[in-house]
Amino acid sequence: MNRVRILTLNAALPALDYRVPDGMQVQPGSIVLAPLGPRQITGIVWEADRLETGDVPDSKLRPLADVMPVPPLSTPLRRLIEWTADYYCAPLSAVARMVISSGGALNGPTTMTEYRLSGGMPERMTPQREAAIDALQGEQATIRELAGIAGVSEGVLRGLVNQGVIEPVSVAIDRLFPTAKPDFDVPALSPDQREVTDRLVEAVAARKFAPFLLDGVTGSGKTETYFEAMAQAIRMGRQVLVLLPEIALTENFLIRFEQRFGAAPVLWHSSLKSTERRRAWRAISEGTAQVVVGARSALFLPYADLGLIVVDEAHEVSFKQDDGVRYNARDVSVMRARFEGFPVVLASATPALESLQMAESGIYEKLDLPSRFGGAQLPHIDTINLGEEPPERGRWLAPRLVAALEDRLAKGEQSLLFLNRRGYAPLTLCRHCGFRFQCPNCSAWLVEHRFSQRLACHHCGHETAPPDACPECGEPDCLVACGPGVERIADEVAELLPEARVAIATSDTLNSPERAAQFIHEAEQCAIDVIVGTQLVTKGFHFPELTLVGVVDADLGLDGGDLRAGERTYQQIVQVAGRAGRGSKPGEVLIQTRHPDAPVIAALAAGDRDAFYAAETEARRHARAPPFGRWAAIIISSEGDAEARQAANRLDDARPHIDDLMILGPAPAPLAMLRGRYRYRFLINARRNVEVQKIIMAWLATQQFAPGVRVGVDIDPYSFV
Ligand code: ADP
Ligand code: ZN
């Protein structure tokens, strides 16, 4: 009797046993189709002794339906799935779904139908059809994707297909990706870079687990250096994964990659079309995708032969996923490298305290690039105390910063103003009655976006047009904007320096690869005098003529009660400061603040990184925060406030009493309502040696939650909302 156990991709299902029909070949890791009731489900064959399920006699087993024509998931990858599920208190199936993230790819090599405009016109034109035809110029995708692009229903497009206005095109999915050439354009390295490179290349060649912390100041050539390690992996015929914190940074990376390797890498991110996704997934699983560049979701793909992972800007918060499986791609990268036996490089100019601590305790090997490449100097940093040098009434830029902007403009150099706030103003209120515009789904203000003439919630995406009169008191023309966003700063610059060419760089304006590429091009050509941007422009960019960076509000990130607020502010400002003076001209950074004596700001102004890390380390040790202790959060949510509160209170009644473990709450979460759900939160703080996950899982298992209640566990949380 050939009996197998499968892990399903549905968290509501247990592991299930099946019979393997004669002639069918399966092994642990095989992806299979199995009958369940009248349906067929996808599952992964697993070692039976690692998954529990009920006892079903052999005679009752149904046969597997099929084996998918893709390579089985390797043993180390299955162990990684288990580790991730255990560590982050997530269902195995939820982690497995991140591996099998292209359903289409499982069907084997094939062609697929996409659609595009044929050039013909419909017999009867309707406004909807006209709008669809306009929107679809030059597009080719599935009907569903086209419907999304055009903002019409699939039915409208099917109608156009029937009339021949939209035509099907057969696309071969498994076209090979272009070959990266490891020796296409090898740079001459500086002695520091050479030393780091040699060590990395040696580690790649050794095919063994080796975690590195590549700690190099901005502009030191971290990218150039790890490119050589990648070249070594490519020469050995192995695959490389590069994780970037933002899709918006990919464009810049792609340009440099092509210059170095003579071909584009394979891209992976959440907005790939399904054909692209499927093609990439198959190439990754078969080993023909040599270098994959992606967002954190690329980490869980079934690489055939991974030989190196690079996590660039490894300190970035965006590597932490905040819903579903709440994993940190930086930490899981290290685990993947360990399970599969290859080096991993965490690159950063401002490493996370946790990573530095790992290096200090000898677990990570630290590689340093202490100076900028080519003799460029790190910029001079100075603070502007807003208490002593305030901006004019109704303005946000202090006179000294304005004078510096004028000076750069006169010299034909570039400036960058950094404010981590999209839109025009973070709060709109009625001058007459004090009414504040709030999101109906979240406990958050609506942010005014003047360009798009919208009030928008940055949490759930709710949008509404600003009304002419106050919805509360009916007074017309009484709405006032409170506080600045980047759009408001850009307006101020335009008023103060009418001849300056100003560009806003945020996820609203650089929302496609084309727009990002155009922005980079214009900034490089110096067709922009002043860039006003959010954290999107703090990393990766290299604009030689940029010599002034102004931080509009350094205090912004410091309040909010987030345990990493100080670290994050430090990292952001060092990163954005790192954009200044990368070419031959020296850079200057002006930081506007009300608290020039706050440890973070003082350390920045003094250029004293060690002082900052020392102070931060002490604060964390004192708070028993990572890396000295552990935090975890449990969020209970429901559409009904009473239901959520009751569930939280009942869980509270069952709270465990354990030494070295402190449970705070339940209390309304800082975002007490999010996307229409009421939220209550427990915070758990423990010593490092306490097995928090086991305790939490046992605690939650004491409860039967109502169907409308959701329970989220966040281990090592980054977001404390
Ligand atoms: P980092 O990633 O550390 O900020 P980059 O890798 O972006 O630094 O390097 C900064 C700039 O210096 C880039 O324009 C890069 O092309 C250039 N550069 C760095 N090292 C070299 C080198 N060895 N040869 C030529 N250019 C280099
Ligand atoms: Zn909202």
Side-chain angles (χ1 to χ4, degrees):
M1 175 68 191
N2 201 351
R3 175 182 180 128
V4 289
R5 185 154 296 174
I6 70 168
L7 171 68
T8 68
L9 301 185
N10 180 344
L13 291 175
L16 296 169
D17 285 357
Y18 287 90
R19 180 164 63 76
V20 183
D22 289 344
M24 186 184 281
Q25 296 290 324
V26 298
Q27 63 188 83
S30 294
I31 301 174
V32 295
L33 266 187
L36 184 74
R39 293 182 302 134
Q40 287 195 330
I41 56 167
T42 305
I44 305 163
V45 175
W46 218 261
E47 290 89 338
D49 56 356
R50 288 179 162 265
L51 288 184
E52 291 193 10
T53 189
D55 271 334
V56 181
D58 281 358
S59 58
K60 287 259 177 70
L61 289 184
R62 297 177 72 182
L64 286 177
D66 210 350
V67 190
M68 298 308 208
V70 292
L73 304 187
S74 69
T75 307
L77 180 53
R78 295 200 306 284
R79 297 297 84 85
L80 183 77
I81 293 172
E82 290 168 349
W83 181 87
T84 306
D86 278 351
Y87 188 86
Y88 292 104
C89 298
L92 271 177
S93 54
V95 184
R97 270 203 307 277
M98 301 197 293
V99 177
I100 313 212
S101 44
S102 163
L106 302 181
N107 296 324
T110 175
T111 57
M112 142 158 206
T113 308
E114 290 187 333
Y115 294 82
R116 65 178 177 209
L117 293 174
S118 65
M121 280 295 150
E123 285 163 22
R124 194 170 53 80
M125 190 58 104
T126 64
Q128 244 189 345
R129 286 181 168 178
E130 197 171 343
I133 292 170
D134 267 359
L136 297 183
Q137 296 297 331
E139 300 287 351
Q140 176 175 317
T142 63
I143 288 289
R144 177 189 293 185
E145 286 158 353
L146 291 180
I149 294 168
V152 298
S153 73
E154 292 180 37
V156 171
L157 299 189
R158 298 257 174 233
L160 291 174
V161 174
N162 291 339
Q163 299 210 4
V165 178
I166 291 180
E167 63 183 7
V169 196
S170 180
V171 185
I173 291 170
D174 293 339
R175 296 184 316 285
L176 284 179
F177 285 95
T179 311
K181 300 168 202 68
D183 302 309
F184 184 76
D185 187 8
V186 183
L189 298 174
S190 71
D192 279 352
Q193 292 176 340
R194 176 90 272 152
E195 202 174 311
V196 169
T197 301
D198 286 348
R199 183 66 195 98
L200 291 177
V201 167
E202 177 191 31
V204 171
R207 297 172 173 265
K208 282 212 287 282
F209 174 56
F212 292 99
L213 178 60
L214 176 52
D215 185 357
V217 298
T218 54
S220 58
K222 293 186 289 297
T223 315
E224 303 291 338
T225 312
Y226 70 66
F227 270 180
E228 298 318 299
M230 290 164 60
Q232 174 64 22
I234 297 170
R235 275 183 213 111
M236 294 164 67
R238 307 197 76 190
Q239 293 171 289
V240 179
L241 166 63
V242 183
L243 291 177
L244 300 179
E246 313 253 5
I247 293 307
L249 292 180
T250 337
E251 202 50 41
N252 195 37
F253 184 90
L254 292 189
I255 296 168
R256 288 183 67 176
F257 185 90
E258 281 209 50
Q259 286 167 352
R260 170 64 185 81
F261 293 103
V266 178
L267 282 186
W268 184 273
H269 53 79
S270 55
S271 42
L272 286 186
K273 293 191 299 173
S274 55
T275 34
E276 294 167 333
R277 183 171 270 275
R278 178 170 170 157
R279 179 181 175 211
W281 197 96
R282 291 191 59 81
I284 287 165
S285 71
E286 276 161 9
T288 54
Q290 296 169 293
V291 177
V292 179
V293 177
R296 57 175 185 246
S297 58
L299 175 59
F300 282 97
L301 297 172
Y303 298 87
D305 184 21
L306 203 49
L308 172 68
I309 298 181
V310 176
V311 186
D312 204 357
E313 314 286 2
H315 61 278
E316 278 292 327
V317 184
S318 54
F319 286 118
K320 180 74 172 21
Q321 177 151 298
D322 263 337
D323 49 15
V325 182
R326 292 176 162 87
Y327 68 99
N328 187 325
R330 176 195 72 206
D331 299 340
V332 182
S333 289
V334 176
M335 287 314 291
R336 182 157 193 167
R338 204 172 106 182
F339 281 121
E340 295 185 27
F342 57 75
V344 53
V345 179
L346 310 182
S348 175
T350 50
L353 205 68
E354 287 90 332
S355 303
L356 276 178
Q357 190 70 26
M358 294 295 261
E360 234 150 69
S361 54
I363 299 172
Y364 295 173
E365 182 174 338
K366 194 153 167 301
L367 303 174
D368 294 307
L369 290 174
S371 51
R372 282 191 157 175
F373 176 76
Q377 292 300 306
L378 283 167
H380 178 75
I381 300 183
D382 207 354
T383 50
I384 297 181
N385 183 346
L386 291 176
E388 290 170 6
E389 304 177 56
E392 276 175 48
R393 242 185 95 75
R395 298 213 189 268
W396 312 98
L397 305 176
R400 188 142 56 99
L401 181 52
V402 176
L405 287 168
E406 281 167 348
D407 171 65
R408 299 313 135 113
L409 186 63
K411 289 194 204 140
E413 296 173 10
Q414 240 166 14
S415 305
L416 165 64
L417 293 176
F418 167 63
L419 176 64
N420 205 16
R421 245 198 214 142
R422 289 154 51 211
Y424 184 83
L427 168 65
T428 305
L429 54 75
C430 169
R431 190 184 306 129
H432 193 241
C433 73
F435 174 80
R436 298 165 168 218
F437 282 84
Q438 198 179 351
C439 175
N441 313 316
C442 308
S443 17
W445 309 125
L446 292 179
V447 178
E448 180 185 358
H449 286 250
R450 214 160 259 197
F451 271 147
S452 53
Q453 302 206 331
R454 285 292 200 229
L455 291 170
C457 172
H458 286 181
H459 296 284
C460 73
H462 171 84
E463 282 194 350
T464 171
D468 298 327
C470 171
E472 188 71 14
C473 68
E475 185 78 7
D477 296 325
C478 62
L479 303 184
V480 277
C482 299
V486 283
E487 290 181 8
R488 197 167 195 176
I489 299 299
D491 274 8
E492 185 169 328
V493 173
E495 276 172 37
L496 294 168
L497 311 170
E499 60 296 12
R501 293 160 299 175
V502 183
I504 297 177
T506 70
S507 54
D508 299 313
T509 59
L510 308 186
N511 53 7
S512 71
E514 294 75 30
R515 285 177 161 206
Q518 178 166 5
F519 166 72
I520 295 170
H521 182 75
E522 286 178 4
E524 279 175 353
Q525 301 303 308
C526 251
I528 303 173
D529 300 309
V530 182
I531 301 165
V532 185
T534 56
Q535 45 86 28
L536 202 64
V537 288
T538 59
K539 324 168 261 276
F541 293 116
H542 181 78
F543 303 138
E545 292 300 318
L546 203 164
T547 57
L548 173 68
V549 167
V551 178
V552 177
D553 184 354
D555 311 331
L556 192 61
L558 283 178
D559 31 61
D562 176 343
L563 88 94
R564 292 184 180 83
E567 183 182 28
R568 202 172 303 172
T569 298
Y570 182 81
Q571 289 166 335
Q572 263 179 357
I573 294 181
V574 170
Q575 290 289 345
V576 73
R579 298 313 108 202
R582 292 171 75 93
S584 50
K585 298 171 192 149
E588 179 184 12
V589 179
L590 292 173
I591 302 176
Q592 299 198 139
T593 175
R594 298 193 171 279
H595 310 290
D597 301 328
V600 186
I601 309 287
L604 281 163
D608 193 346
R609 174 177 138 145
D610 292 344
F612 168 73
Y613 277 111
E616 186 70 13
T617 303
E618 269 330 292
R620 297 265 193 107
R621 197 193 306 273
H622 188 72
R624 208 160 71 172
F628 305 103
R630 327 190 50 184
W631 282 101
I634 301 179
I635 301 257
I636 313 274
S637 71
S638 162
E639 285 176 10
D641 188 18
E643 187 179 54
R645 199 175 47 235
Q646 272 164 21
N649 286 338
R650 252 183 277 125
L651 187 59
D652 189 31
D653 292 339
R655 68 157 68 198
H657 297 276
I658 291 173
D659 287 350
D660 295 332
L661 180 113
M662 179 173 70
I663 299 175
L664 306 172
L671 263 174
M673 183 157 83
L674 181 63
R675 296 186 196 93
R677 301 181 70 85
Y678 293 87
R679 307 163 77 239
Y680 288 83
R681 187 184 71 174
F682 291 91
L683 273 180
I684 298 151
N685 182 235
R687 279 196 196 284
R688 249 169 60 153
N689 54 358
V690 175
E691 286 194 274
V692 183
Q693 290 91 339
K694 281 203 179 128
I695 295 167
I696 290 176
M697 292 314 275
W699 182 20
L700 292 177
T702 61
Q703 306 287 307
Q704 275 269 322
F705 293 100
V709 172
R710 264 186 235 151
V711 180
V713 178
D714 196 346
I715 303 289
D716 310 336
Y718 270 67
S719 155
F720 279 78
V721 299

mmCIF file of all heavy atoms in Angstrom, residues 9 77 121 132 232 250 282 312 333 366 384 414 438 505 570 661-662 694 703 707 720:
data_model
loop_
_atom_site.group_PDB
_atom_site.id
_atom_site.type_symbol
_atom_site.label_atom_id
_atom_site.label_comp_id
_atom_site.label_asym_id
_atom_site.label_seq_id
_atom_site.Cartn_x
_atom_site.Cartn_y
_atom_site.Cartn_z
ATOM 1 N N LEU A 9 -3.238 23.684 0.851
ATOM 2 C CA LEU A 9 -2.951 25.120 0.855
ATOM 3 C C LEU A 9 -4.059 25.901 1.554
ATOM 4 O O LEU A 9 -4.131 27.109 1.461
ATOM 5 C CB LEU A 9 -2.776 25.622 -0.583
ATOM 6 C CG LEU A 9 -1.652 24.933 -1.360
ATOM 7 C CD1 LEU A 9 -1.481 25.578 -2.720
ATOM 8 C CD2 LEU A 9 -0.345 24.992 -0.585
ATOM 9 N N LEU A 77 13.725 23.476 1.716
ATOM 10 C CA LEU A 77 12.628 24.434 1.580
ATOM 11 C C LEU A 77 11.443 23.997 2.445
ATOM 12 O O LEU A 77 10.783 24.823 3.083
ATOM 13 C CB LEU A 77 12.215 24.576 0.106
ATOM 14 C CG LEU A 77 11.064 25.553 -0.167
ATOM 15 C CD1 LEU A 77 11.334 26.928 0.433
ATOM 16 C CD2 LEU A 77 10.812 25.682 -1.674
ATOM 17 N N MET A 121 -13.047 48.851 -34.597
ATOM 18 C CA MET A 121 -13.957 49.645 -33.766
ATOM 19 C C MET A 121 -15.277 48.895 -33.594
ATOM 20 O O MET A 121 -15.695 48.154 -34.492
ATOM 21 C CB MET A 121 -14.246 50.998 -34.438
ATOM 22 C CG MET A 121 -13.121 52.003 -34.227
ATOM 23 S SD MET A 121 -12.969 52.438 -32.475
ATOM 24 C CE MET A 121 -11.223 52.779 -32.361
ATOM 25 N N ALA A 132 -12.680 52.350 -22.304
ATOM 26 C CA ALA A 132 -11.878 51.125 -22.238
ATOM 27 C C ALA A 132 -10.855 51.106 -23.362
ATOM 28 O O ALA A 132 -9.679 50.797 -23.149
ATOM 29 C CB ALA A 132 -12.792 49.907 -22.310
ATOM 30 N N GLN A 232 30.285 35.586 -9.062
ATOM 31 C CA GLN A 232 30.858 34.282 -8.719
ATOM 32 C C GLN A 232 29.788 33.193 -8.719
ATOM 33 O O GLN A 232 29.983 32.108 -9.266
ATOM 34 C CB GLN A 232 31.548 34.361 -7.348
ATOM 35 C CG GLN A 232 32.047 33.035 -6.815
ATOM 36 C CD GLN A 232 33.133 32.424 -7.693
ATOM 37 O OE1 GLN A 232 33.795 33.124 -8.453
ATOM 38 N NE2 GLN A 232 33.282 31.097 -7.610
ATOM 39 N N THR A 250 13.668 49.345 -7.737
ATOM 40 C CA THR A 250 14.092 48.332 -8.693
ATOM 41 C C THR A 250 14.650 48.967 -9.952
ATOM 42 O O THR A 250 15.638 48.512 -10.496
ATOM 43 C CB THR A 250 12.907 47.439 -9.086
ATOM 44 O OG1 THR A 250 11.950 47.487 -8.076
ATOM 45 C CG2 THR A 250 13.323 46.047 -9.314
ATOM 46 N N ARG A 282 8.354 29.487 -13.049
ATOM 47 C CA ARG A 282 8.859 28.257 -13.673
ATOM 48 C C ARG A 282 10.376 28.324 -13.870
ATOM 49 O O ARG A 282 11.091 27.356 -13.630
ATOM 50 C CB ARG A 282 8.145 28.010 -14.999
ATOM 51 C CG ARG A 282 6.680 27.641 -14.801
ATOM 52 C CD ARG A 282 6.062 27.152 -16.098
ATOM 53 N NE ARG A 282 6.776 25.981 -16.618
ATOM 54 C CZ ARG A 282 6.580 24.753 -16.180
ATOM 55 N NH1 ARG A 282 5.686 24.517 -15.238
ATOM 56 N NH2 ARG A 282 7.272 23.757 -16.690
ATOM 57 N N ASP A 312 19.436 43.971 0.377
ATOM 58 C CA ASP A 312 19.976 45.327 0.320
ATOM 59 C C ASP A 312 19.135 46.241 1.198
ATOM 60 O O ASP A 312 17.923 46.070 1.292
ATOM 61 C CB ASP A 312 19.999 45.834 -1.123
ATOM 62 C CG ASP A 312 21.039 46.929 -1.295
ATOM 63 O OD1 ASP A 312 21.675 47.317 -0.292
ATOM 64 O OD2 ASP A 312 21.228 47.403 -2.427
ATOM 65 N N SER A 333 15.648 35.189 5.487
ATOM 66 C CA SER A 333 16.736 34.994 4.513
ATOM 67 C C SER A 333 17.897 34.249 5.153
ATOM 68 O O SER A 333 18.491 33.351 4.554
ATOM 69 C CB SER A 333 17.273 36.337 4.007
ATOM 70 O OG SER A 333 16.354 36.952 3.187
ATOM 71 N N LYS A 366 31.237 40.549 10.060
ATOM 72 C CA LYS A 366 31.028 41.934 9.664
ATOM 73 C C LYS A 366 32.082 42.351 8.652
ATOM 74 O O LYS A 366 33.277 42.125 8.851
ATOM 75 C CB LYS A 366 31.115 42.832 10.899
ATOM 76 C CG LYS A 366 30.592 44.227 10.695
ATOM 77 C CD LYS A 366 30.121 44.757 12.046
ATOM 78 C CE LYS A 366 29.859 46.251 12.043
ATOM 79 N NZ LYS A 366 31.009 47.064 11.678
ATOM 80 N N ILE A 384 18.906 72.890 12.450
ATOM 81 C CA ILE A 384 18.249 74.191 12.564
ATOM 82 C C ILE A 384 17.235 74.049 13.690
ATOM 83 O O ILE A 384 16.293 73.260 13.572
ATOM 84 C CB ILE A 384 17.532 74.569 11.255
ATOM 85 C CG1 ILE A 384 18.555 74.713 10.122
ATOM 86 C CG2 ILE A 384 16.717 75.849 11.451
ATOM 87 C CD1 ILE A 384 17.942 75.099 8.786
ATOM 88 N N GLN A 414 21.634 70.730 -7.276
ATOM 89 C CA GLN A 414 20.332 70.184 -6.905
ATOM 90 C C GLN A 414 20.135 70.142 -5.393
ATOM 91 O O GLN A 414 21.099 69.976 -4.647
ATOM 92 C CB GLN A 414 20.259 68.740 -7.392
ATOM 93 C CG GLN A 414 19.153 68.471 -8.349
ATOM 94 C CD GLN A 414 19.359 67.125 -9.023
ATOM 95 O OE1 GLN A 414 20.173 66.302 -8.608
ATOM 96 N NE2 GLN A 414 18.614 66.911 -10.085
ATOM 97 N N GLN A 438 -12.391 62.496 9.188
ATOM 98 C CA GLN A 438 -11.850 61.223 9.638
ATOM 99 C C GLN A 438 -12.277 60.119 8.683
ATOM 100 O O GLN A 438 -13.329 60.210 8.048
ATOM 101 C CB GLN A 438 -12.373 60.927 11.041
ATOM 102 C CG GLN A 438 -11.543 59.886 11.730
ATOM 103 C CD GLN A 438 -12.018 59.593 13.132
ATOM 104 O OE1 GLN A 438 -12.868 60.281 13.663
ATOM 105 N NE2 GLN A 438 -11.463 58.546 13.717
ATOM 106 N N ALA A 505 8.517 63.497 -5.344
ATOM 107 C CA ALA A 505 8.837 62.078 -5.526
ATOM 108 C C ALA A 505 8.245 61.271 -4.373
ATOM 109 O O ALA A 505 8.791 61.248 -3.268
ATOM 110 C CB ALA A 505 10.347 61.887 -5.598
ATOM 111 N N TYR A 570 16.949 57.797 12.950
ATOM 112 C CA TYR A 570 18.382 57.843 12.672
ATOM 113 C C TYR A 570 18.680 57.272 11.289
ATOM 114 O O TYR A 570 19.367 57.879 10.471
ATOM 115 C CB TYR A 570 19.131 57.046 13.746
ATOM 116 C CG TYR A 570 20.621 57.080 13.556
ATOM 117 C CD1 TYR A 570 21.365 58.170 13.986
ATOM 118 C CD2 TYR A 570 21.281 56.032 12.919
ATOM 119 C CE1 TYR A 570 22.727 58.219 13.791
ATOM 120 C CE2 TYR A 570 22.652 56.074 12.718
ATOM 121 C CZ TYR A 570 23.368 57.166 13.151
ATOM 122 O OH TYR A 570 24.715 57.228 12.954
ATOM 123 N N LEU A 661 7.947 36.609 31.767
ATOM 124 C CA LEU A 661 7.059 36.939 30.650
ATOM 125 C C LEU A 661 5.992 37.887 31.172
ATOM 126 O O LEU A 661 5.338 37.605 32.166
ATOM 127 C CB LEU A 661 6.411 35.668 30.097
ATOM 128 C CG LEU A 661 5.456 35.881 28.924
ATOM 129 C CD1 LEU A 661 6.031 35.255 27.664
ATOM 130 C CD2 LEU A 661 4.101 35.294 29.218
ATOM 131 N N MET A 662 5.881 39.038 30.466
ATOM 132 C CA MET A 662 4.960 40.061 30.932
ATOM 133 C C MET A 662 3.915 40.280 29.850
ATOM 134 O O MET A 662 4.260 40.381 28.669
ATOM 135 C CB MET A 662 5.770 41.335 31.155
ATOM 136 C CG MET A 662 4.987 42.520 31.624
ATOM 137 S SD MET A 662 6.142 43.855 32.036
ATOM 138 C CE MET A 662 6.749 44.343 30.423
ATOM 139 N N LYS A 694 5.498 29.097 21.695
ATOM 140 C CA LYS A 694 4.786 27.951 22.274
ATOM 141 C C LYS A 694 3.754 28.430 23.274
ATOM 142 O O LYS A 694 2.630 27.919 23.328
ATOM 143 C CB LYS A 694 5.771 27.011 22.974
ATOM 144 C CG LYS A 694 6.490 26.129 22.000
ATOM 145 C CD LYS A 694 7.015 24.856 22.675
ATOM 146 C CE LYS A 694 7.705 23.998 21.625
ATOM 147 N NZ LYS A 694 9.052 23.610 22.046
ATOM 148 N N GLN A 703 -9.056 28.913 23.594
ATOM 149 C CA GLN A 703 -10.239 29.668 23.186
ATOM 150 C C GLN A 703 -10.866 29.123 21.906
ATOM 151 O O GLN A 703 -10.189 28.630 21.031
ATOM 152 C CB GLN A 703 -9.840 31.134 22.901
ATOM 153 C CG GLN A 703 -9.121 31.802 24.029
ATOM 154 C CD GLN A 703 -10.052 32.124 25.171
ATOM 155 O OE1 GLN A 703 -11.082 32.754 24.977
ATOM 156 N NE2 GLN A 703 -9.703 31.662 26.359
ATOM 157 N N PRO A 707 -16.763 33.141 14.658
ATOM 158 C CA PRO A 707 -16.309 33.204 13.264
ATOM 159 C C PRO A 707 -15.928 34.623 12.812
ATOM 160 O O PRO A 707 -15.038 34.792 11.978
ATOM 161 C CB PRO A 707 -17.517 32.721 12.462
ATOM 162 C CG PRO A 707 -18.396 32.016 13.435
ATOM 163 C CD PRO A 707 -18.099 32.550 14.797
ATOM 164 N N PHE A 720 3.697 49.068 15.701
ATOM 165 C CA PHE A 720 3.010 48.959 16.988
ATOM 166 C C PHE A 720 1.639 49.629 16.946
ATOM 167 O O PHE A 720 1.153 50.138 17.917
ATOM 168 C CB PHE A 720 3.888 49.518 18.104
ATOM 169 C CG PHE A 720 4.921 48.528 18.551
ATOM 170 C CD1 PHE A 720 6.058 48.320 17.811
ATOM 171 C CD2 PHE A 720 4.723 47.764 19.692
ATOM 172 C CE1 PHE A 720 6.998 47.388 18.200
ATOM 173 C CE2 PHE A 720 5.664 46.834 20.087
ATOM 174 C CZ PHE A 720 6.800 46.643 19.340
#
